[in-house]
Amino acid sequence: MLSHIRNFAIIAHIDHGKSTLADRLIQLCGGLSDREMKDQVLDTMDIERERGITIKAQTVRLTYRAEDGETYQLNLMDTPGHVDFSYEVSRCLAACEGSLLVVDATQGVEAQTLANAYLAIGAGHEIVPVLNKIDMIAADIDRVGAEIAQVIGLDAEEAIPISAKTGEGVAQVLEALVHRLPPPVGDAVRPLKALLVDSWYDSYLGVMILVRVHDGVLKPGMKVRLMAGGSVHQVEQVGVFTPKAERVDHLGPGEVGYMTASIKAVADTRVGDTITGDKDPAAHSLPGFKPSLPVVFSGLFPVDSADYVNLRQSLEKLHLNDASFHYEAETSAALGFGFRCGFLGLLHLEIVHERLEREFGLDLIATAPSVVYRVRLRDGGRLELHNPADLPDPVMIEGIDEPWIKATVMVPSVHLGAVLKLCTDRRGEQVEMTFSGDRAMAVYRLPLNEVVIDFYDRLKSLSRGYASLDYEMDGYRAGDLVKVSILVNSEPVDALAFIVHAAHAEARGRAICERLRDLIPRQLFKIAIQAAIGGRVIARTTVSALRKDVTAKCYGGDVSRKRKLLDKQKKGKKRMRQFGRVEIPQSAFLDALRSGDD
């Protein structure tokens, strides 16, 4: 019965205990036996377990017998907490009616707590606040409850104090779920209408699709149509995750589960599409999701050019699993054939790069991360620039517009001065400043270009790890921007070219040259490293040559013998510098750009 189904997402800031709470809920509802249980049981990828973060949202169906004797079906979605994966969170919220907002009772409301709470409110959710980690000495339930009421505007009186680690209070959470969250609405008699929430590739079953059924019934053997793509497929399997995959006879209104239909083409399944019956289709599709807009771009090139086809196929499969990154083919004079990829942030870039290398056995070079600039040309044309190396000749350019963001920083008051200085140094404009107890919330407008490389690292360093950051796009503005090219041994390196504000060009160019001097291995000849704007060199440093002692065999005798050998060596080094190629190690690309302010 629909009245006995509850669909809910667990949302929170990073490390506030979402996955641990999911573990306890699974354990209490008997989803897994004690022998099968392990910490962060829903974090299935190796990279998630190593880093201790959730990257992919996971779904579990649990059966709960409430204190009033009624049996309920709970569909739980565990979501990521990092700002780079907020698209995953928004997809999950579209498939649910309610949310558990988990807040760390020691740290209080953080930037992503606020952002995720607003996402849930925007999705029309009923929110149940949960105060986690009450078993810790530093927990302050009254202060954090007051923060929830003051900063987010939720009624903190109904917040449930728990310890997801020990299990204390988790039974109250289950009762709150069934009594405070609304049931889904739908009609089994109407034509099938199901939302495609997520999809991933299985090497045996093909494409597996996670669906939330709104109307009608989804059964094996029936023919379904994907409304956006228009493709028709026959359903082979229908099932749910408990968290183990279990086949079921059908999925009805309000239920969340998976289906397979021998879909082989990656492009056929679009996240946010509506699935309906082929013979009796629905009149209108569901609203779906707002498409994700990448904010950071980077080129991915195979070290071995023979791996290009393998890289293309790997990106197709990974894109199916992660719809929030985009890619298109590009070529580089220095790196050959590859792909220009768009990401939601630097951590997202790092994760995708690592997954491609681990899951598909690729050896890749990533170019410098950059943002999308809008170039206004003198002939009235406009150009979206993803790669700094593609910037037209300066005489053709009337102006360059850069993207800005609205950033919310939550920080203890003791570290506020250092954080405000960092924002000001990055050309930030203060919008708002509020205080709640001993914590401050600063809202700044910042150029995305100044944030994308190392702003988050610097923020964490200056605040001893206590500051948190959330941001949203805030349009484009004209800026005094220039392209800085990096030349190694007089040859430009496409992968290290970057666009920067003119006032910071010289300092940034010098910092990168000095970093590269330490990162590039020494050769038998001197290597000149230069930063240039057009034909003007603005910074230079030199990697000294390895010295071979050619006079070691000379002992005694006339000095002209030694001079003759040294002159011969000098000529050889000059010729080597003229024809020699300098190999830049992969680690140097990103390390050089983390120029830092230290």
Side-chain angles (χ1 to χ4, degrees):
M1 289 192 300
L2 277 171
S3 60
H4 284 57
I5 297 175
R6 298 291 183 272
N7 298 318
F8 68 97
I10 304 179
I11 55 174
H13 188 76
I14 314 153
D15 287 337
H16 279 205
K18 294 179 298 297
S19 297
T20 310
L21 176 57
D23 290 349
R24 295 293 81 75
L25 293 175
I26 291 167
Q27 212 169 7
L28 276 176
C29 294
L32 291 172
S33 65
D34 290 342
R35 183 176 60 82
E36 292 170 313
M37 276 303 296
K38 58 184 176 182
D39 289 342
Q40 277 78 49
V41 72
L42 297 182
D43 292 343
T44 51
M45 287 191 284
D46 290 342
I47 193 169
E48 289 180 312
R49 304 192 72 79
E50 284 170 20
R51 289 173 175 254
I53 58 172
T54 301
I55 295 167
K56 285 294 295 176
Q58 299 290 342
T59 309
V60 183
R61 176 191 282 193
L62 302 171
T63 303
Y64 173 61
R65 189 171 179 81
E67 290 176 0
D68 59 9
E70 297 286 338
T71 301
Y72 292 86
Q73 181 195 117
L74 307 179
N75 292 310
L76 172 159
M77 288 192 174
D78 180 27
T79 64
H82 198 280
V83 63
D84 284 14
F85 305 114
S86 56
Y87 188 62
E88 284 279 320
V89 180
S90 66
R91 290 215 311 256
C92 291
L93 295 179
C96 302
E97 288 76 38
S99 297
L100 288 181
L101 179 66
V102 181
V103 183
D104 189 329
T106 64
Q107 294 182 2
V109 174
E110 299 279 9
Q112 275 303 105
T113 314
L114 195 63
N116 287 340
Y118 287 159
L119 277 176
I121 292 166
H125 278 207
E126 183 69 36
I127 299 174
V128 176
V130 174
L131 301 180
N132 192 21
K133 304 188 184 181
I134 60 167
D135 57 311
M136 296 183 74
I137 298 169
D140 189 341
I141 296 171
D142 295 334
R143 175 182 65 82
V144 176
E147 272 186 28
I148 290 172
Q150 186 178 343
V151 180
I152 303 175
L154 294 174
D155 185 1
E157 293 293 321
E158 297 184 351
I160 305 167
I162 68 159
S163 168
K165 186 178 177 182
T166 63
E168 182 186 347
V170 178
Q172 293 174 43
V173 174
L174 286 166
E175 285 297 309
L177 285 172
V178 299
H179 294 301
R180 287 164 59 178
L181 297 190
V185 292
D187 190 344
V189 181
R190 287 183 189 167
L192 174 66
K193 193 187 280 186
L195 181 68
L196 198 161
V197 180
D198 199 1
S199 52
W200 60 97
Y201 193 81
D202 185 281
S203 50
Y204 298 103
L205 300 169
V207 179
M208 295 185 74
I209 298 173
L210 184 70
V211 295
R212 154 69 200 271
V213 180
H214 283 259
D215 290 318
V217 178
L218 183 64
K219 295 178 182 177
M222 69 185 292
K223 284 195 172 181
V224 294
R225 182 190 301 163
L226 299 171
M227 292 182 80
S231 58
V232 177
H233 305 277
Q234 185 164 338
V235 179
E236 290 187 344
Q237 275 189 38
V238 173
V240 295
F241 296 102
T242 65
K244 295 177 287 188
E246 286 187 10
R247 293 171 73 161
V248 295
D249 296 334
H250 65 275
L251 288 174
E255 294 189 296
V256 179
Y258 71 87
M259 61 164 268
T260 64
S262 293
I263 303 172
K264 295 179 179 65
V266 170
D268 281 355
T269 55
R270 298 179 193 172
V271 169
D273 200 350
T274 302
I275 299 170
T276 188
D278 183 38
K279 290 181 180 175
D280 185 17
H284 304 288
S285 60
L286 292 161
F289 313 115
K290 191 168 62 175
S292 67
L293 295 173
V295 295
V296 178
F297 285 81
S298 174
L300 293 179
F301 295 85
V303 172
D304 182 357
S305 55
D307 282 339
Y308 175 77
V309 175
N310 191 9
L311 173 59
R312 188 184 65 218
Q313 293 169 348
S314 303
L315 284 169
E316 282 180 3
K317 289 177 182 175
L318 195 60
H319 179 61
L320 175 63
N321 188 241
D322 183 357
S324 56
F325 94 90
H326 302 258
Y327 66 95
E328 59 184 29
E330 78 162 356
T331 56
S332 160
L335 301 169
F337 292 99
F339 292 89
R340 191 82 189 158
C341 301
F343 306 91
L344 298 180
L346 217 58
L347 177 65
H348 191 204
L349 186 161
E350 214 175 302
I351 295 293
V352 169
H353 187 182
E354 198 165 334
R355 285 185 68 185
L356 284 168
E357 292 193 332
R358 282 188 184 202
E359 296 175 24
F360 302 99
L362 293 164
D363 197 3
L364 301 173
I365 291 173
T367 63
S370 68
V371 299
V372 183
Y373 297 96
R374 290 178 181 167
V375 182
R376 288 175 279 114
L377 303 174
R378 291 190 188 279
D379 61 5
R382 287 181 176 272
L383 176 71
E384 281 213 339
L385 187 73
H386 292 185
N387 188 347
D390 297 335
L391 188 72
D393 193 299
V395 296
M396 298 169 61
I397 298 172
E398 185 185 319
I400 304 175
D401 299 337
E402 61 179 331
W404 281 61
I405 60 168
K406 190 175 180 182
T408 304
V409 181
M410 307 282 286
V411 61
S413 302
V414 68
H415 302 299
L416 182 61
V419 170
L420 295 184
K421 183 178 183 303
L422 173 67
C423 293
T424 307
D425 290 347
R426 298 299 174 93
R427 298 191 284 135
E429 300 171 358
Q430 188 173 313
V431 177
E432 188 185 343
M433 175 82 71
T434 53
F435 291 86
S436 175
D438 64 343
R439 292 174 66 78
M441 183 176 82
V443 180
Y444 265 81
R445 285 196 178 91
L446 289 154
L448 183 58
N449 186 27
E450 300 284 351
V451 174
V452 79
I453 299 292
D454 61 351
F455 181 84
Y456 189 70
D457 295 344
R458 295 286 303 149
L459 182 69
K460 286 291 183 184
S461 173
L462 291 170
S463 64
R464 298 186 183 178
Y466 286 106
S468 60
L469 169 74
D470 175 58
Y471 62 83
E472 59 185 33
M473 298 305 294
D474 194 43
Y476 277 75
R477 292 196 207 174
D480 182 13
L481 304 168
V482 292
K483 174 190 164 188
V484 178
S485 304
I486 302 295
L487 293 85
V488 176
N489 202 27
S490 302
E491 285 191 18
V493 182
D494 288 357
L496 290 173
F498 59 92
I499 292 174
V500 69
H501 194 271
H504 299 166
E506 191 177 329
R508 184 89 178 274
R510 184 178 294 111
I512 288 180
C513 288
E514 287 174 1
R515 280 283 176 109
L516 280 173
R517 183 182 61 191
D518 299 331
L519 294 166
I520 293 176
R522 290 169 68 192
Q523 309 288 328
L524 288 168
F525 54 92
K526 283 184 183 177
I527 303 169
I529 302 169
Q530 299 164 306
I533 300 172
R536 181 169 64 94
V537 174
I538 57 170
R540 174 190 165 125
T541 186
T542 306
V543 178
S544 57
L546 288 169
R547 188 169 181 274
K548 182 183 176 184
D549 190 0
V550 291
T551 61
K553 60 185 178 182
C554 297
Y555 50 92
D558 192 66
V559 72
S560 61
R561 290 178 64 205
K562 290 186 178 181
R563 177 58 51 205
K564 190 175 177 181
L565 288 167
L566 289 169
D567 286 345
K568 188 178 177 183
Q569 183 189 40
K570 190 176 179 181
K571 285 179 186 174
K573 289 199 173 191
K574 187 177 179 182
R575 192 165 63 252
M576 287 171 73
R577 185 163 66 248
Q578 188 177 350
F579 299 109
R581 285 188 62 83
V582 180
E583 293 291 333
I584 303 174
Q586 162 60 11
S587 58
F589 286 100
L590 274 177
D591 287 348
L593 286 147
R594 293 184 192 276
S595 47
D597 306 294
D598 26 57

